[in-house]
Amino acid sequence: MFSLAYLDHNASAMPDHRAAKAAAEWLLGAHGNPSSIHGAGRQARRRVEAARRQLAGAIGAAPAELFFTSGATEAIYTAIQGTTSPGDHVLVSALEHPAVWAACKGAEVDLEVVPCDAAGRISPGAFAERLRPTTKLAVMMLAQNEIGNIYPVRDVAETIGQVPLLCDAVQALGKMPLDVSQLGAKMVALSGHKVGAPAGVGALWCEAGFSVGPLIEGGGQERGRRGGTENISGIVGLGVAAQNVPERLQRAAEICKLRDALRVRLKSRFEDFIEHGDPSNRLSNTLSFRIGRLEGGLLAQSLDLSGFQVATGSACSSGGTEPSPVLLALGLDKSTAKCGLRVSLGPETKQKDVDGLVKALSEAVDRANGVYGLEENA
Amino acid sequence: MRVVVAMSGGVDSSVAAALLVEEGHEVIGLTMKLRDATDGERAGRGGSCCSPDDLMDARHVCDALGIPHYIIDYRELFRTMVMEPFAQSYLKGETPNPCVQCNDHVKFVPLLEHARALGAECLVTGHYARIEKQDDGWALLAGADDRKDQSYFLFGLEKESLPFVRFPLGDLSKDEVRDIAKKHALPNWDKSDSEDICFVPGGDYSKVVEGIVGSENTPADGSIVDASGHVLGTHQGIHKFTVGQRRGLGIASSERLYVVGVNSDSNTVEVGRRASLDAVGLHARDCRWLVDEPAGVRRCTIRIRYRHGGVDGNVIVDGSRALVTFDEPQFAVAPGQAVVFYDDDRVLGGGWIERAVSLPSTGEHAREDARE
């Protein structure tokens, strides 16, 4: 029996046990619809509002500026479809999450991509160049999920002036300081399971006074911004997880050391180790890379069989492995993009996990090179 | 040992996996994604194979067996090596055999390499065939169940690959396989078999061909002619016809007419009486051998299509080509199909049918002269 090392925290964090416990306590001990007038309803309402305060506190917001959703995808859809009409000009950075592309497609906007350079950097100037008098919305994420790059959201917001900015802060929360009052964005999307809350809950923050049409009106919950009975256990979990964000941030420096050490060892072990992204400005836990021409999928499978759980550079849905649009946006061709691997560490990661990963990857690479007749790495 | 099982989501490959797990090996399930799902398949209407439901079935079986399951994306490879040649073959007036192409270019090379790169000592599939070590080396044999034997599709396996491939169902009958599935309580034990080509759900070949080549390259309407070139009717595209076909001709005739030939140069479909479809042999190209390449005349049993019982005859090898003669005339030898040579139940090798050698008769000779 070997031990498992989970090194895919950007896909989903390991559970925050206190958050899970709080969610379970609600499920096992209480009930009620927050909209009901009676005691049970008021109890449910109290829990939801307590969670709202906890999340608001974690991101520098006022509670009333937040409403809960089923996750960041829904938050992003709400933000985009609630602020645009078909045909509106929207500027979107080249490295946004698929939810942004899909939401824009659904909203039938006139989407213009703001390109990045080969290291995945995007400048405020690139937004400025493309700005039109009619531009309705701009989208710039704070931290990139695959390559880890961190973006100058505040500078972009200043550059685009009156045009509202949607910021996807899904990867940023818990990994780097996040203060929405200083970000310059009008809307910020957040996700629960990236910080150890249950999956299936997220939130959209909107600057006070900035109105966003609801995606789902339903019964008018969340002050008319998001219909449907609230996912109380998820929200309770999110609140506690948000409250624990400062603890996560305290671990960031240590995680950074582990990640940097991993990088050094991979570079020295594999001659054709190539990193993706901007090492000088990225999340402390993320490492996106490739090794020669070996397919990321093959290496990830090999690693999984040895107990090391990482991601490839591709988005997987229904089994197809499309080359990652992010790696393609960096300028890699399709077959090179399929070589991508992403390792993302978390507060639970230990030195031995990193040591073991290097060893397991070595074996996987040597074996693959043997089969494909490629030259051995020195 | 570590083994990889190629899982389609069907009963056969699932039982193959179960048997290897029972033997105590470290089994890994791998499913190839060969094509995108159709809208119908996404909505849950059964496809023929490799639909999202099939991928989920494979995953479900692996979960039940407690083994890891991965999906590899071979869509591009499958398109270039199987689907496009399939379509081009029809455009040339031939009747292709894509399952052989898939075995040759997808399953038993890239997938086998992937399996070995994962550290597996062999690739296991649910084919009804057998691999054995015999005195003169590794041999490929027909499966024990005549009705399900799939060795015909496997003639192109490279001899060097045979030690790395296992067919655990080779000695079993289909009924026995289903019993094993039931015994192991596999989630898909009573799933019906897919009989169609995996990317031709419902068997509408011509529609799939049109989808692959596009409307601008779809064969045009043309004439249906007899041996002397008289026009008897019109057809809506040569890709809708195959040698030996009786239906879909739309010609009123006092006698039963069959497709005798499909000619892409003249865009015609030639029809004739059944007798004109009896061939005494055939010319084959691109032949390969799992035994030492025969010298001189080699006696063997010959199969000219999947559901062919086999006919005894001779094969004379000439480089990568072969001249094959049958002891008895055979009906509807179709260019583009695989011809596979057996010694009893052992696969000697095979190739691709280029053209039939017809019974000598004045009519036939006149036709051939007219063509040349």
Side-chain angles (χ1 to χ4, degrees), chain A residues 71-264:
Chain A
T73 297
E74 188 196 321
I76 286 167
Y77 265 74
T78 306
I80 291 171
Q81 299 196 350
T83 55
T84 61
S85 305
D88 281 350
H89 183 239
V90 175
L91 290 175
V92 176
S93 98
L95 298 173
E96 297 300 314
H97 187 274
V100 170
W101 306 114
C104 285
K105 190 163 167 224
E108 295 176 334
V109 298
D110 171 20
L111 186 157
E112 187 174 353
V113 178
V114 178
C116 63
D117 67 11
R121 288 177 293 224
I122 297 179
S123 70
F127 273 87
E129 276 164 28
R130 290 164 174 80
L131 211 56
R132 294 180 204 165
T134 53
T135 303
K136 204 67 186 300
L137 177 70
V139 185
M140 180 73 256
M141 66 204 317
L142 181 50
Q144 217 293 324
N145 51 301
E146 279 193 48
I147 54 179
N149 284 19
I150 295 171
Y151 293 98
V153 172
R154 195 191 165 91
D155 293 340
V156 171
E158 269 170 30
T159 306
I160 62 176
Q162 293 309 301
V163 176
L165 180 69
L166 163 64
C167 176
D168 170 355
V170 165
Q171 292 296 338
L173 181 65
K175 298 187 185 81
M176 59 178 276
L178 173 59
D179 182 348
V180 297
S181 67
Q182 302 299 308
L183 207 50
K186 286 284 191 274
M187 300 173 286
V188 175
L190 301 164
S191 167
H193 72 102
K194 307 293 191 191
V195 287
V201 65
L204 185 69
W205 171 87
C206 297
E207 189 187 75
F210 183 78
S211 86
V212 180
L215 191 66
I216 301 166
E217 278 194 59
Q221 287 86 347
E222 293 295 277
R223 299 188 187 201
R225 291 177 300 182
R226 200 276 189 171
T229 302
E230 298 85 340
N231 172 5
I232 302 163
S233 58
I235 289 167
V236 165
L238 174 53
V240 173
Q243 200 169 46
N244 297 332
V245 157
E247 264 178 55
R248 281 186 180 265
L249 293 177
Q250 271 164 23
R251 295 292 317 278
E254 210 174 302
I255 292 169
C256 194
K257 273 186 13 207
L258 284 176
R259 189 275 313 270
D260 289 346
L262 172 64
R263 179 172 174 251
V264 162

Side-chain angles (χ1 to χ4, degrees), chain B residues 67-82:
Chain B
I67 63 176
H69 177 249
Y70 306 112
I71 295 171
I72 2 182
D73 186 353
Y74 277 160
R75 284 176 295 174
E76 219 170 283
L77 183 69
F78 190 72
R79 175 161 265 268
T80 2
M81 303 306 278
V82 179

Side-chain angles (χ1 to χ4, degrees), chain B residues 91-110:
Chain B
L91 262 51
K92 279 188 271 179
E94 294 184 338
T95 307
N97 209 318
C99 302
V100 177
Q101 311 288 24
C102 180
N103 285 334
D104 288 356
H105 299 296
V106 182
K107 284 189 189 136
F108 293 102
V109 178

Side-chain angles (χ1 to χ4, degrees), chain A residues 43 244 279 333:
Chain A
Q43 176 184 221
N244 297 332
D333 62 41

Side-chain angles (χ1 to χ4, degrees), chain B residues 281-348:
Chain B
L282 58 87
H283 291 276
R285 56 175 163 80
D286 297 330
C287 298
R288 34 252 157 87
W289 301 95
L290 286 165
V291 294
D292 289 336
E293 192 180 283
V297 181
R298 180 57 152 105
R299 262 324 273 157
C300 58
T301 308
I302 300 143
R303 285 172 67 180
I304 57 169
R305 56 184 156 266
Y306 173 47
R307 293 273 185 214
H308 187 242
V311 58
D312 289 341
N314 294 308
V315 60
I316 304 163
V317 176
D318 175 18
S320 64
R321 300 176 58 78
L323 171 63
V324 180
T325 56
F326 313 127
D327 286 359
E328 283 147 26
Q330 296 298 301
F331 174 71
V333 169
Q337 288 282 280
V339 53
V340 183
F341 312 111
Y342 291 78
D343 180 0
D344 202 10
D345 58 359
R346 179 172 180 172
V347 176
L348 301 172

